Structures are given as C-alpha cells and as structure tokens.
Coordinates of all heavy atoms in Angstrom, one line a residue:
H283 N -26.8 16.9 6.4 CA -25.4 16.7 5.7 C -25.8 16.4 4.2 O -26.8 16.1 3.8 CB -24.9 15.4 6.3 CG -24.4 15.4 7.7 ND1 -23.3 16.1 8.0 CD2 -24.9 14.9 8.8 CE1 -23.1 15.9 9.3 NE2 -24.1 15.2 9.8
L284 N -24.8 16.9 3.4 CA -25.1 16.8 2.0 C -24.1 15.9 1.3 O -23.0 15.8 1.8 CB -24.8 18.2 1.5 CG -25.8 19.4 1.7 CD1 -25.2 20.6 1.3 CD2 -27.0 19.1 1.1
N285 N -24.6 15.1 0.4 CA -23.6 14.3 -0.4 C -22.6 15.2 -1.1 O -21.6 14.8 -1.2 CB -24.4 13.5 -1.4 CG -25.3 12.4 -1.0 OD1 -25.1 11.9 0.1 ND2 -26.4 12.1 -1.6
A286 N -23.0 16.4 -1.5 CA -22.1 17.4 -1.9 C -20.8 17.6 -1.2 O -19.7 17.6 -1.7 CB -22.9 18.7 -2.3
D287 N -21.1 17.7 0.1 CA -19.9 17.8 1.0 C -18.8 16.7 1.0 O -17.7 17.0 0.8 CB -20.3 18.1 2.5 CG -21.1 19.4 2.6 OD1 -20.9 20.4 2.0 OD2 -22.1 19.4 3.5
H288 N -19.3 15.6 0.9 CA -18.6 14.3 0.7 C -17.8 14.4 -0.5 O -16.6 14.0 -0.5 CB -19.5 13.0 1.1 CG -18.7 11.9 0.6 ND1 -17.7 11.3 1.5 CD2 -18.7 11.1 -0.3 CE1 -17.2 10.3 1.0 NE2 -17.7 10.0 -0.2
I289 N -18.7 14.7 -1.6 CA -18.0 14.6 -2.8 C -16.9 15.7 -3.0 O -15.8 15.2 -3.5 CB -19.1 14.7 -4.0 CG1 -20.0 13.5 -4.0 CG2 -18.5 14.9 -5.4 CD1 -21.2 13.7 -4.7
A290 N -17.2 16.8 -2.5 CA -16.2 17.9 -2.6 C -14.9 17.6 -1.8 O -13.8 17.9 -2.3 CB -16.9 19.2 -2.0
L291 N -15.1 16.8 -0.6 CA -13.9 16.6 0.2 C -13.1 15.4 -0.5 O -12.0 15.2 0.0 CB -14.4 16.1 1.6 CG -14.9 17.4 2.3 CD1 -15.5 16.9 3.7 CD2 -13.8 18.3 2.7
N292 N -13.6 14.7 -1.4 CA -12.9 13.5 -2.1 C -12.8 13.7 -3.6 O -12.8 12.9 -4.5 CB -13.8 12.3 -1.9 CG -13.7 11.9 -0.4 OD1 -12.7 11.4 0.0 ND2 -14.8 12.2 0.4
G293 N -12.4 15.0 -3.9 CA -12.2 15.5 -5.2 C -10.8 14.9 -5.8 O -10.2 14.3 -5.1
P294 N -10.5 15.2 -7.0 CA -9.3 14.6 -7.7 C -8.0 15.0 -7.0 O -7.2 14.3 -6.8 CB -9.4 15.2 -9.1 CG -10.7 15.7 -9.3 CD -11.4 15.9 -8.0
D295 N -8.0 16.3 -6.4 CA -6.8 16.7 -5.8 C -6.4 15.9 -4.5 O -5.2 15.4 -4.3 CB -6.7 18.2 -5.4 CG -8.1 18.7 -4.8 OD1 -9.0 18.0 -4.8 OD2 -7.9 19.8 -4.0
Y296 N -7.5 15.6 -3.8 CA -7.3 14.8 -2.6 C -7.0 13.4 -3.0 O -6.1 12.7 -2.4 CB -8.7 14.7 -1.8 CG -8.6 13.6 -0.7 CD1 -8.0 13.9 0.4 CD2 -9.3 12.3 -0.9 CE1 -7.9 12.7 1.3 CE2 -9.2 11.3 -0.1 CZ -8.4 11.5 1.1 OH -8.4 10.6 2.1
V297 N -7.7 12.8 -4.0 CA -7.3 11.4 -4.4 C -5.9 11.3 -4.8 O -5.1 10.3 -4.5 CB -8.3 11.0 -5.6 CG1 -7.8 9.6 -6.1 CG2 -9.7 10.8 -5.0
L298 N -5.4 12.3 -5.7 CA -3.9 12.2 -6.0 C -3.0 12.2 -4.9 O -2.0 11.7 -4.9 CB -3.8 13.3 -7.1 CG -4.5 13.1 -8.5 CD1 -4.3 14.3 -9.4 CD2 -4.0 11.9 -9.1
R299 N -3.3 13.1 -4.0 CA -2.4 13.3 -2.8 C -2.4 11.9 -2.0 O -1.4 11.4 -1.5 CB -2.9 14.4 -1.7 CG -2.7 15.8 -2.3 CD -2.7 16.7 -1.2 NE -4.1 16.7 -0.6 CZ -5.2 17.4 -1.0 NH1 -5.1 18.1 -2.1 NH2 -6.2 17.3 -0.2
R300 N -3.6 11.4 -1.8 CA -3.8 10.0 -1.2 C -3.0 8.9 -1.8 O -2.3 8.1 -1.3 CB -5.2 9.7 -1.1 CG -5.5 8.4 -0.2 CD -5.1 8.6 1.2 NE -4.6 7.5 1.8 CZ -4.3 7.2 3.0 NH1 -4.7 8.1 3.9 NH2 -3.8 6.1 3.4
C301 N -3.1 8.9 -3.2 CA -2.4 7.9 -4.0 C -0.9 8.0 -3.7 O -0.1 7.2 -3.5 CB -2.7 8.0 -5.3 SG -4.4 7.4 -5.7
A302 N -0.4 9.3 -3.8 CA 1.1 9.5 -3.5 C 1.6 9.0 -2.0 O 2.5 8.4 -1.9 CB 1.4 11.0 -3.8
A303 N 0.6 9.3 -1.2 CA 1.0 8.9 0.2 C 0.9 7.4 0.3 O 1.9 6.8 1.0 CB 0.0 9.5 1.2
D304 N 0.0 6.7 -0.3 CA -0.1 5.2 -0.2 C 1.2 4.6 -0.9 O 1.6 3.5 -0.4 CB -1.3 4.8 -0.8 CG -2.5 5.2 0.1 OD1 -2.4 5.5 1.2 OD2 -3.7 4.9 -0.4
R305 N 1.6 5.2 -1.9 CA 2.9 4.8 -2.6 C 4.1 4.8 -1.7 O 4.9 3.9 -1.6 CB 3.1 5.5 -3.9 CG 2.3 5.0 -5.1 CD 3.0 5.1 -6.3 NE 2.2 4.6 -7.4 CZ 1.2 5.2 -8.0 NH1 0.9 6.3 -7.8 NH2 0.6 4.6 -9.0
K306 N 4.1 6.0 -0.9 CA 5.2 6.0 0.1 C 5.1 5.0 1.2 O 6.1 4.5 1.6 CB 5.1 7.4 0.7 CG 5.5 8.5 -0.2 CD 5.5 9.9 0.5 CE 5.7 10.9 -0.6 NZ 5.6 12.3 0.1
I307 N 3.9 4.7 1.6 CA 3.7 3.5 2.6 C 4.2 2.2 2.0 O 4.9 1.4 2.7 CB 2.2 3.4 3.0 CG1 2.0 4.7 3.7 CG2 1.9 2.1 3.9 CD1 0.4 4.7 4.1
L308 N 3.8 1.9 0.7 CA 4.3 0.7 0.0 C 5.9 0.7 -0.1 O 6.5 -0.4 0.2 CB 3.7 0.6 -1.5 CG 2.2 0.1 -1.6 CD1 1.9 0.2 -3.2 CD2 2.2 -1.3 -1.1
A309 N 6.5 1.8 -0.4 CA 7.9 1.8 -0.4 C 8.7 1.7 0.8 O 9.8 1.1 1.0 CB 8.3 3.2 -1.1

C-alpha cells in the first residue's frame, strides 16, 4: 500500500464534496 494512494483518494475535490454533503446532513 502506498501513502500516495491514500492522499490521492483524499484530494481537494473529495474534501469539497464531503463538506457539501456534511452541510446537507446538518441542514
């Protein structure tokens, strides 16, 4: 396993999608 794989899967595009989803949960 590579740390690179984990980092790539948690890039900015993923984080922004996750933040938007979490705001929907709060709402």
Side-chain angles (χ1 to χ4, degrees):
H283 296 285
L284 293 168
N285 287 334
D287 294 325
H288 171 72
I289 293 168
L291 290 171
N292 291 282
D295 53 335
Y296 167 79
V297 172
L298 292 172
R299 286 192 311 271
R300 183 67 219 199
C301 289
D304 289 348
R305 279 209 174 87
K306 289 177 184 177
I307 293 170
L308 280 176

